[in-house]
Amino acid sequence: MEQYSRQLDGIFQALADPTRRAVLARLGTGPASISDLAKPFDMALPSFMKHIRFLEGSGLIRTRKEGRVRTCVIQEGQLAAVEAWLSQQRALWEGRTDRLEQFVVTAQKKGEAQ
């Protein structure tokens, strides 16, 4: 469980940054070179590479080098871990809100009866 928690911590930390989210959104449409990914951002390439390394370290992307070009691809398996966690949280909170709704309806009926 601790390994799973550390994995999620790294993924959510990676997703916390808007630049990294934008990179993932772009990679959602298909592989891209680092230079293509860096174009929309107003930062030096070494600074952008920190984001790439962070995403790669969290397991959200994979890079491969072909000649002088490094290409990035999204790793969908890591996103499945996030989706599973979010599904668990959604089920938990939906159960709580269902119980709250039942409580409110019961209280309203008791108030109308008096």
Side-chain angles (χ1 to χ4, degrees), residues 31-90:
S33 69
I34 288 179
S35 60
D36 285 342
L37 291 170
K39 282 179 187 174
F41 302 102
D42 186 26
M43 66 178 73
L45 190 57
S47 297
F48 184 76
M49 285 302 297
K50 289 180 183 180
H51 291 288
I52 296 299
R53 284 191 291 275
F54 200 100
L55 288 168
E56 195 169 24
S58 69
L60 288 170
I61 68 169
R62 180 175 39 96
T63 63
R64 67 178 183 275
K65 190 170 184 179
E66 297 174 14
R68 298 182 72 198
V69 177
R70 184 168 293 280
T71 302
C72 300
V73 295
I74 200 162
Q75 293 288 99
E76 295 176 13
Q78 293 293 77
L79 294 176
V82 172
E83 187 175 354
W85 183 84
L86 288 172
S87 293
Q88 291 172 347
Q89 296 302 307
R90 185 177 303 112

Side-chain angles (χ1 to χ4, degrees), residues 10-18 20-21 24 54-55 60 79 82:
I11 293 169
F12 281 120
Q13 191 173 8
L15 295 173
D17 184 87
R20 294 190 287 261
R21 287 193 307 271
L24 288 172
F54 200 100
L55 288 168
L60 288 170
L79 294 176
V82 172

